[in-house]
Amino acid sequence: MTRINLLPWREARRLQRQRDLIGMLVAAALLGAGIVFGVYTEINNRIEYQQQRNQYLTGEIARLKKAAEELEELKKTKTRLLDRLNVIQKLQASRPGMVRTLDGLVRLIPQDIYLTSFKIAGTQITLNGVAKSDLVISEFMRSIRDSKLFGEPALQIIETKTINKAVQARVFELIVPIKVDRGLAGAEGNT
């Protein structure tokens, strides 16, 4: 005998196809959502990584700025110390020149001249003194001129004064240049 399938097979097949389609749609939606989630996570990871790098670079820049400021302070300190050292070296170099100049001056003063004061300013000495006569002052000026330490002296003032109501003397002011290579090169001051 022949069997006749009275079940609505078309209806069953259509329902099966709808289920398959819905299953594929759900699977595609889940796959799409997974891909979107993966891309979103990767982008967030890269953003966080870049932010960490930016923070690291910001920290390094701040550290380098601080180091640069410290370096500037060290350079300023070095400059100040070098300036001080140069001043000390100049003073040390001028010390023997001062002694040599004063020693040379003492050796040139004749017996009949008495110095009352002297002043050193730059590269010249101003001498004030008292002498017995003009001849003694002229002799003193010649000996200064012939010296290796001093240049040509210039007589500024010469006056006759009475000392102790009986003795007449010649009061003078003499400017004597110091030769720079041997004398007080760079030393300034009053003595």
Side-chain angles (χ1 to χ4, degrees):
M1 142 160 181
T2 354
R3 291 183 165 183
I4 298 174
N5 189 359
L6 297 173
L7 291 175
W9 60 274
R10 289 185 186 147
E11 189 69 30
R13 194 170 81 186
R14 190 170 37 106
L15 287 173
Q16 184 61 34
R17 282 185 182 173
Q18 277 183 340
R19 282 187 211 133
D20 290 344
L21 180 64
I22 290 173
M24 282 192 259
L25 286 175
V26 168
L30 289 176
L31 181 65
I35 290 173
V36 168
F37 179 74
V39 169
Y40 176 77
T41 305
E42 180 64 24
I43 289 173
N44 277 342
N45 287 340
R46 288 187 182 195
I47 289 172
E48 287 178 16
Y49 176 70
Q50 188 62 42
Q51 287 174 344
Q52 289 174 352
R53 287 179 62 190
N54 290 349
Q55 288 175 351
Y56 173 76
L57 289 176
T58 304
E60 288 298 308
I61 289 171
R63 187 180 64 80
L64 289 176
K65 280 183 181 178
K66 185 177 179 183
E69 290 171 359
E70 290 174 0
L71 185 63
E72 284 299 317
E73 287 297 320
L74 287 175
K75 283 182 181 179
K76 289 177 184 177
T77 303
K78 177 185 173 186
T79 303
R80 285 194 307 265
L81 289 175
L82 286 176
D83 290 343
R84 287 181 185 173
L85 185 62
N86 287 338
V87 168
I88 291 170
Q89 287 175 345
K90 286 178 183 177
L91 289 173
Q92 290 288 0
S94 69
R95 187 182 300 173
M98 174 79 77
V99 171
R100 190 177 17 222
T101 301
L102 292 177
D103 183 56
L105 185 63
V106 168
R107 292 177 191 274
L108 294 175
I109 297 175
Q111 287 184 350
D112 295 333
I113 288 184
Y114 301 98
L115 291 181
T116 57
S117 69
F118 68 94
K119 177 181 167 184
I120 299 175
T123 57
Q124 68 181 16
I125 301 174
T126 303
L127 301 172
N128 294 316
V130 179
K132 266 187 169 180
S133 67
D134 292 338
L135 185 62
V136 174
I137 296 172
S138 297
E139 179 184 322
F140 181 45
M141 289 175 66
R142 276 193 293 278
S143 63
I144 289 173
R145 183 186 63 219
D146 295 339
S147 169
K148 294 179 182 177
L149 294 174
F150 305 105
E152 183 71 34
L155 187 61
Q156 297 296 313
I157 299 171
I158 188 162
E159 298 175 342
T160 303
K161 295 244 177 155
T162 304
I163 300 173
N164 294 334
K165 298 181 183 176
V167 179
Q168 289 213 346
R170 303 295 283 172
V171 177
F172 65 93
E173 181 176 308
L174 190 64
I175 295 180
V176 180
I178 302 170
K179 290 187 180 173
V180 177
D181 58 337
R182 300 205 182 253
L184 297 172
E188 292 185 10
N190 294 336
T191 307

